[in-house]
Amino acid sequence: MTVTPDPPPRDDVRTDIVVAAARLLREHGASAVTTRAVAQAAGVQAPTIYRLFGDKNGLVDAVAEHVMATYVATKTADDVSGDPVADLRAGWHTHLEFGLANPELFRLLGTRGPGDPSPASVAGLAVLRSRIRRLAAAGLLRVDEQRATMMVHAAGTGVILTLLGTPAPQRDPGLGDAVLDAVLGGILTTTPAPPDPTLRTAAVTLAAVTPDLPGLTDAERTLLTEWLTRSLARLSHPRQSP
């Protein structure tokens, strides 16, 4: 009697497809990651990919999560120095290293529109926001958290794209540190908030710790956040009418 082997568990099939797609992306570039090519490399039928991932974007998201899992975990786990500036700098270096080591994936994720971000990119940005929050809570920001986050994010993306667009022998190895130093000069105070009497620094710091303030209701925290946001906007644009 012929015994038909049990089909592999769906999780195993999904993993095989993701690994095959990641290999095609790494070895042959984004153009090679087609449904037909991935199905052939993984030894499955094309409908299996649509059933498990929905569409090509779903497959790309899974590949990104697979490749970036260790990267995001490393960024989250290395907050051990107790120095939020040093931790931000360490995360910056990890980000640049990842982008340069995975150019095709980095470019592919960059083509996603703002209304359809990759979950892996969202997770990475969340880690950056948490690092910026620590700077704000320590009284080290001279700009609001959103501005600081976007400045660091934009600078990091720009450095990676610039280096990827430059032949390897001609790349400036100090470009990343130089750009980060310039950004930090624009977003950081020279001293923590207690010795710094400026209203803006105090407001940024208070906004950062508002969610953790004891003795307030959710409505009161929301109202305090609204007041601080309004004050920060006026401090940034003092000539605007209230």
Side-chain angles (χ1 to χ4, degrees), residues 58-69:
L59 175 59
V60 171
D61 287 342
V63 170
E65 291 179 7
H66 169 73
V67 176
M68 296 179 71

Side-chain angles (χ1 to χ4, degrees), residues 2-230:
T2 302
V3 178
T4 303
D6 293 334
R10 174 165 293 199
D11 286 347
D12 290 346
V13 174
R14 191 180 193 279
T15 299
D16 290 344
I17 293 171
V18 170
V19 170
R23 184 172 63 251
L24 286 172
L25 179 64
R26 182 177 62 254
E27 296 177 356
H28 303 289
S31 62
V33 185
T34 64
T35 302
R36 174 179 295 183
V38 172
Q40 183 176 0
V44 301
Q45 299 297 316
T48 302
I49 294 179
Y50 291 108
R51 186 169 64 251
L52 293 177
F53 301 97
D55 55 18
K56 184 178 177 181
N57 273 352
L59 175 59
V60 171
D61 287 342
V63 170
E65 291 179 7
H66 169 73
V67 176
M68 296 179 71
T70 302
Y71 161 64
V72 173
T74 300
K75 288 212 304 180
T76 304
D78 65 6
D79 288 340
V80 295
S81 74
D83 181 344
V85 177
D87 292 335
L88 177 64
R89 191 177 291 276
W92 168 274
H93 288 150
T94 302
H95 181 63
L96 297 192
E97 290 166 4
F98 176 84
L100 295 177
N102 300 273
E104 291 295 336
L105 178 60
F106 187 83
R107 293 190 180 101
L108 196 58
L109 293 177
T111 64
R112 299 287 289 270
D116 183 30
S118 164
S121 297
V122 171
L125 191 57
V127 174
L128 174 58
R129 285 197 175 98
S130 70
R131 293 177 184 275
I132 297 298
R133 170 61 58 88
R134 290 179 59 207
L135 291 171
L140 294 172
L141 284 185
R142 69 167 72 241
V143 301
D144 62 80
E145 291 180 53
Q146 177 66 9
R147 172 68 63 82
T149 299
M150 291 299 99
M151 287 176 68
V152 175
H153 177 65
T157 300
V159 169
I160 293 173
L161 292 176
T162 297
L163 292 175
L164 289 178
T166 304
Q170 300 174 21
R171 292 175 184 172
D172 177 1
L175 179 64
D177 284 334
V179 171
L180 179 60
D181 287 342
V183 173
L184 292 181
I187 69 173
L188 296 183
T189 62
T190 55
T191 55
D196 187 340
T198 64
L199 289 176
R200 182 172 183 78
T201 300
V204 168
T205 304
L206 182 56
V209 300
T210 293
D212 301 318
L213 289 176
L216 299 179
T217 66
D218 290 342
E220 289 168 339
R221 288 191 181 88
T222 299
L223 184 59
L224 178 56
T225 298
E226 180 183 341
W227 288 341
L228 290 168
T229 300
R230 192 185 311 163

